[in-house]
Amino acid sequence: MGPKVYIDGKLCEKADAKISVYDHGLLYGDGVFEGIRVYGARIFRCKEHVDRLYESACAIALRIPMTKEEIVAAMEATVAANGIKDGYIRLVVTRGVGTLGLDPNKCPHPSVIVIADTIQLYPQEFYEKGLHVITVPTIRNHPEAINPRIKSLNYLNNIMAKIEAINGGTVEAIMLNKDGYVAECTGDNIFIVKNRKLLTPPASAGVLKGITRAVVMDLAAGIGVPVLEPNLTRYDLFTADECFLTGTAAEIVPVVNIDGRIIGDGKPGTLTLELLELFRAETRKQ
Ligand code: PMP
């Protein structure tokens, strides 16, 4: 018995887990999703992820055909069916099957998909030595286009930035916004530490309001570190004492080099490592 995938109320074998080529999720990237961690067989920050999914859906006028409680039950059933203790859930809602035209009103039945699997972690070396990252030419989506707060299935903008990062010899890209301020990375939020204050771009700079971002901000406040959300420039990054990225998959990963400039002393920062330890304790606590 292989892995099981939840699609529209049924758990099916991975090999049979297929959707129509007429689904607007495939044809147009019309849909929303969440990436969620499972620690110790429990769904981390479940409510926050489900709430964000509904807000993303609301913003694109997509009606999720299940209650939040039903979504949680579907995730729990899929995690249990796959025997996942420590893993990753991909929760996807697509606009559903429609015509070849754009009109979402021709898609009467949105699809809900839950995949629960093991997780591909960043190598341990990244946490011990820190990442090298670069700023890239592709800017983060303008908030009046697809607002970055919407976790939509259309990640092409981020994929282009990721290609630029890889072509530049790094694994992650920092995207600026239309005004030249720092926004975020292709799949992670960005933080800097300056004079033992924690700074991260505001949502208005055009970023996904990361669940990990919020946990880290709470943890920092809890140990008396002031947390600020100003607009940040590349200058602020280059002159930071520490820098790190946050995301569901990455947790907290130190950054030691940006655009060829060494950040701080070129090693993962002390507050960064303290927050990583606190974060990991938080994942065991729930
Ligand atoms: N920004 C982007 C663009 C993302 O896709 C993600 C999620 N992978 C994040 C930030 C981090 O958000 P979260 O902490 O909720 O995973």
Side-chain angles (χ1 to χ4, degrees):
M1 291 256 280
K4 298 274 192 299
V5 178
Y6 175 99
I7 305 181
D8 297 332
K10 288 193 208 80
L11 280 169
C12 51
E13 294 296 329
K14 181 176 173 180
D16 304 324
K18 291 176 182 158
I19 60 154
S20 166
V21 292
Y22 284 86
D23 192 306
H24 280 207
L26 175 71
L27 290 174
Y28 299 114
D30 187 354
V32 295
F33 77 103
E34 285 293 320
I36 309 171
R37 279 289 274 269
V38 178
Y39 295 102
R42 286 150 83 149
I43 302 172
F44 187 64
R45 292 297 189 273
C46 185
K47 179 181 186 314
E48 287 81 349
H49 281 285
V50 172
D51 285 349
R52 188 172 66 182
L53 180 83
Y54 273 75
E55 289 192 346
S56 293
C58 180
I60 65 163
L62 169 60
R63 186 192 54 80
I64 299 178
M66 292 167 73
T67 64
K68 290 185 178 180
E69 293 71 26
E70 286 168 344
I71 293 268
V72 173
M75 287 199 290
E76 283 171 346
T78 313
V79 167
N82 288 283
I84 300 287
K85 295 272 173 299
D86 292 292
Y88 182 86
I89 299 170
R90 176 59 57 94
L91 170 60
V92 183
V93 184
T94 73
R95 188 77 67 178
V97 172
T99 62
L100 290 181
L102 287 179
D103 186 355
N105 297 319
K106 303 269 167 62
C107 309
H109 302 294
S111 270
V112 178
I113 299 163
V114 182
I115 308 166
D117 211 330
T118 52
I119 179 161
Q120 197 63 49
L121 297 171
Y122 268 162
Q124 182 57 21
E125 193 193 349
F126 288 7
Y127 297 91
E128 283 162 11
K129 295 202 179 129
L131 279 188
H132 289 219
V133 298
I134 54 173
T135 55
V136 296
T138 295
I139 62 164
R140 192 67 177 102
N141 298 77
H142 191 296
E144 294 305 325
I146 301 173
N147 192 307
R149 291 188 64 175
I150 302 168
K151 204 163 164 61
S152 90
L153 289 182
N154 192 324
Y155 254 52
L156 200 44
N157 197 73
N158 299 37
I159 290 167
M160 289 197 294
K162 184 88 174 180
I163 290 168
E164 289 159 1
I166 292 165
N167 288 348
T170 60
V171 296
E172 187 47 293
I174 298 172
M175 284 180 281
L176 308 178
N177 65 20
K178 60 166 185 7
D179 299 316
Y181 291 117
V182 177
E184 61 176 339
C185 296
T186 65
D188 296 306
N189 291 110
I190 186 163
F191 283 83
I192 58 169
V193 177
K194 185 71 180 177
N195 301 328
R196 225 178 142 77
K197 291 192 180 76
L198 190 61
L199 293 87
T200 193
S204 58
V207 305
L208 180 74
K209 283 186 86 177
I211 310 289
T212 320
R213 175 183 182 272
V215 173
V216 166
M217 290 163 88
D218 284 349
L219 290 173
I223 54 168
V225 173
V227 181
L228 304 167
E229 295 177 73
N231 276 318
L232 296 173
T233 61
R234 289 169 78 234
Y235 170 87
D236 298 311
L237 302 183
F238 298 155
T239 58
D241 300 327
E242 303 179 24
C243 179
F244 61 84
L245 313 181
T246 65
T248 290
E251 299 181 325
I252 298 175
V253 60
V255 170
V256 296
N257 191 301
I258 302 174
D259 292 340
R261 277 77 155 178
I262 293 167
I263 305 304
D265 62 2
K267 297 197 195 82
T270 48
L271 184 58
T272 303
L273 295 178
E274 195 180 338
L275 287 169
L276 177 56
E277 206 167 295
L278 288 172
F279 183 84
R280 291 200 167 142
E282 192 68 27
T283 65
R284 291 189 292 265
K285 214 193 263 176
Q286 45 158 353

